[in-house]
Amino acid sequence: NGHSNTGNRTAMAETTSRLKIAIPLIAMLVLLAAWSGWWWWASNFAQTKLAEMRANLSDRFALTCTSEDWGGYPYRIMFTCTEPVIELKRQGTTVSSAKLDILAQAYNPSHIIARLTGPSEITNPRQAVRLDAEHLPLVTGVKFKDRKFAIASSRIKQLSLRQDGALVANADAAALHIRPADGRPGVDFAADAQGLTAFPGTPQVIPLDQFTAQANIDKLPVGAVRNFNEFARAAAAAGSVITLDSFSADASGIGATASGTVTIDQQGSLTGGLKSRLKNLDKLLGELITRGVVKEKQARAASTLLGLFKRPDGIAADLRFKECNVYWGPIKLGRHEPLF
């Protein structure tokens, strides 16, 4: 009996030992099967939703690819479009690039990331426009909360933009953020850029070391708008108020800040004003003289007049808009073209 009991205890011990090894393995296999089932369901759901979206927007938007592929297992749900062509039909604009990836983490499908790999080409036959862009991947993230849009952010680096072969702009980095306004009506916007140069190699060159801006539009025009002119017309009809919460820019020691509100009247003119501050006016006037934008006599007169608004941290004067005229302090800077 002693030998029998000892044998039974040994067998039970061996069985227990095997179970200790098998249970974690079985649990892991069950979890793997459950996760794989979830990923398969989520991937098929995403494929269905993307197909529905493309069908529902077919009168306004089209995405065509040389080839399409779905993957990302086990952690991501990923759609890859090779040589994408994005057509904005109402605007008549087409964007083509090397590759488009759209992905989401399988455990957080409310955060969607799109990555557009260049080079890219932007064309609009209606406007006789063709732009060629060299850039690192353009990355756009969109977040949803409680199934509602929460925020969208886009960032691009090492951008070089050419029109008909001529370089028109480049930037080390640039970003744009959009979200529903918090604590006020409308939509908030934020933008920033570093190493931005417009019209390089020309007398009109505008080099900015950096700029940042934050703004709000209280009534975002709804409905289809094909271009900026139509957007401005819709904003005027809606009585939209554009609030510039903050703006700052720096170019080789010449700095500017501004904030205020503007509207667009029924004639397409900006109306309203911004409180602005300019640092290093004399350097700016010297630059304008060098470029032939103003003459020395005009620069001296401007320096004298604006000297009345001089503060320890720069020239503080209101930038005002009325009937397409633009004024800075006592000086009329000129006129802007009607926005529509």
Side-chain angles (χ1 to χ4, degrees):
N1 289 337
H3 289 295
S4 177
N5 289 336
T6 301
N8 289 337
R9 285 196 296 269
T10 301
M12 290 178 63
E14 290 176 352
T15 301
T16 301
S17 179
R18 291 192 191 100
L19 286 173
K20 287 181 179 179
I21 296 173
I23 288 174
L25 179 60
I26 292 170
M28 185 178 68
L29 291 174
V30 170
L31 288 174
L32 179 61
W35 178 260
S36 297
W38 159 254
W39 185 92
W40 179 85
W41 177 87
S43 179
N44 278 274
F45 180 80
Q47 293 180 47
T48 301
K49 285 299 181 182
L50 181 60
E52 289 177 357
M53 184 186 74
R54 292 166 78 172
N56 293 336
L57 298 176
S58 60
D59 62 328
R60 291 173 282 172
F61 169 90
L63 170 65
T64 56
C65 315
T66 301
S67 63
E68 299 182 9
D69 182 54
W70 286 87
Y73 181 83
Y75 301 116
R76 294 176 174 177
I77 299 167
M78 185 170 178
F79 168 72
T80 298
C81 171
T82 305
E83 296 183 354
V85 177
I86 302 168
E87 185 181 359
L88 306 176
K89 295 182 179 181
R90 292 182 178 176
Q91 291 78 17
T93 300
T94 299
V95 181
S96 57
S97 290
K99 188 171 73 166
L100 172 66
D101 296 310
I102 302 175
L103 60 95
Q105 302 294 347
Y107 54 82
N108 184 21
S110 62
H111 184 191
I112 300 170
I113 299 172
R115 184 174 59 220
L116 187 70
T117 303
S120 302
E121 180 184 281
I122 305 168
T123 58
N124 187 318
R126 299 176 190 173
Q127 307 291 332
V129 170
R130 172 180 168 172
L131 297 173
D132 295 294
E134 296 279 348
H135 56 87
L136 294 180
L138 167 64
V139 179
T140 299
V142 181
K143 291 183 179 181
F144 297 87
K145 185 176 181 181
D146 299 328
R147 297 188 177 182
K148 294 181 180 179
F149 168 69
I151 189 170
S153 300
S154 292
R155 182 166 291 277
I156 194 169
K157 293 182 178 181
Q158 302 301 316
L159 172 66
S160 177
L161 199 61
R162 295 179 180 273
Q163 182 173 5
D164 300 326
L167 186 63
V168 294
N170 52 42
D172 294 337
L176 175 66
H177 314 276
I178 304 173
R179 68 175 186 181
D182 185 13
R184 58 180 175 180
V187 178
D188 289 340
F189 300 85
D192 64 82
Q194 297 81 42
L196 175 64
T197 304
F199 311 112
T202 71
Q204 294 79 31
V205 60
I206 304 173
L208 292 178
D209 298 327
Q210 64 82 30
F211 93 87
T212 62
Q214 295 183 356
N216 168 271
I217 179 167
D218 66 340
K219 299 174 184 175
L220 190 67
V222 295
V225 291
R226 291 176 294 180
N227 51 48
F228 177 77
N229 290 347
E230 290 190 6
F231 177 87
R233 187 186 301 275
S240 301
V241 177
I242 302 167
T243 301
L244 183 63
D245 296 315
S246 65
F247 170 85
S248 67
D250 185 81
S252 302
I254 302 170
T257 61
S259 62
T261 60
V262 295
T263 59
I264 304 173
D265 67 22
Q266 299 303 315
Q267 286 70 48
S269 169
L270 289 173
T271 301
L274 306 174
K275 292 187 177 299
S276 67
R277 192 175 299 274
L278 178 67
K279 181 179 70 175
N280 212 335
L281 172 65
D282 291 339
K283 185 173 182 179
L284 174 61
L285 291 173
E287 183 68 26
L288 294 177
I289 291 171
T290 300
R291 297 187 189 186
V293 178
V294 299
K295 296 180 179 179
E296 289 190 25
K297 184 176 180 180
Q298 293 172 316
R300 286 196 299 270
S303 181
T304 300
L305 278 173
L306 291 171
L308 301 173
F309 300 85
K310 193 170 184 179
R311 302 289 186 272
D313 55 352
I315 303 293
D318 289 345
L319 183 65
R320 295 173 289 115
F321 306 93
K322 184 178 180 181
E323 297 177 351
C324 292
N325 295 307
V326 184
Y327 304 88
W328 190 47
I331 298 176
K332 181 178 179 179
L333 297 180
R335 289 177 56 83
H336 71 77
E337 292 293 326
L339 301 183
F340 57 83

